[in-house]
Amino acid sequence: MAKFTDINDERRNFNYINPDNGRRLTSKYTNQFGDVQLMRLAEMYLIRAEANFIEGTLLGNTPLADINLLRTRANAANLLTVNLASILRERELELAMEGFAIHDLKRTKRHIDVFADGSKLIPYNDNTLVFPIPLREMDTNSKITQNPGYGS
């Protein structure tokens, strides 16, 4: 929640406190039997903004225009400029609690900040961030080797 520095940014309201245990939960997907979104238009704008920024291209739109399109929809103040860090931060805000964070951190080779204050960092390539290959898969294919940290 501390990442939402703009008090008008409506995306900060997509959560609630569970009355049973006091934990903060997302309110983005509360119908367990509803349709599951696989990709959102906002995600496509974020992908394009990041790719255009990294490649120095303007295919479709500028990175700044793509980011501000999302911020305007969320009622957040527009940015005057963007850099890679601000684009990645916008991904964190827009895609919060949707399961993208760990993959974005690993993809961009940034360490995982466990406690959000920098007191414990896990390197992006740490073996604990990779699940073991299931035994049934290992038994089915003798050419598969187990991921590091899980034995043979």
Side-chain angles (χ1 to χ4, degrees):
M1 292 306 299
K3 291 182 181 185
F4 289 97
T5 56
D6 186 334
I7 61 170
N8 296 315
D9 192 330
E10 294 175 0
R11 297 172 295 187
R12 69 185 294 134
N13 300 320
F14 292 138
N15 65 84
Y16 65 98
I17 302 298
N18 183 337
D20 295 333
N21 60 21
R23 291 185 179 167
R24 185 176 304 277
L25 300 173
T26 181
S27 59
K28 288 183 176 183
Y29 307 107
T30 56
N31 181 352
Q32 72 181 33
F33 302 109
D35 293 331
V36 176
Q37 287 185 296
L38 300 177
M39 187 165 284
R40 297 196 293 123
L41 181 59
E43 181 185 358
M44 301 306 297
Y45 286 121
L46 290 163
I47 290 169
R48 182 171 69 183
E50 183 180 346
N52 275 335
F53 185 84
I54 290 171
E55 294 298 319
T57 58
L58 303 174
L59 297 174
N61 214 336
T62 66
L64 179 63
D66 281 339
I67 295 303
N68 282 336
L69 180 75
L70 299 177
R71 293 183 63 81
T72 298
R73 183 208 26 112
N75 208 25
N78 281 344
L79 301 178
L80 299 176
T81 62
V82 293
N83 56 31
L84 186 56
S86 63
I87 293 169
L88 294 175
R89 180 172 182 83
E90 200 63 31
R91 282 188 65 84
E92 292 175 7
L93 299 178
E94 182 65 35
L95 304 174
M97 300 182 212
E98 294 184 28
F100 288 89
I102 187 70
H103 303 292
D104 284 349
L105 290 169
K106 288 176 68 76
R107 177 177 60 81
T108 57
K109 298 182 179 178
R110 293 179 290 156
H111 300 315
I112 289 79
D113 191 349
V114 178
F115 297 119
D117 65 359
S119 62
K120 178 170 177 158
L121 297 176
I122 298 175
Y124 75 93
N125 59 351
D126 192 283
N127 290 337
T128 61
L129 299 175
V130 179
F131 286 118
I133 298 172
L135 182 59
R136 69 181 175 278
E137 300 297 327
M138 299 289 296
D139 290 344
T140 302
N141 186 342
S142 63
K143 294 185 179 186
I144 294 177
T145 56
Q146 186 55 268
N147 288 326
Y150 296 103
S152 54

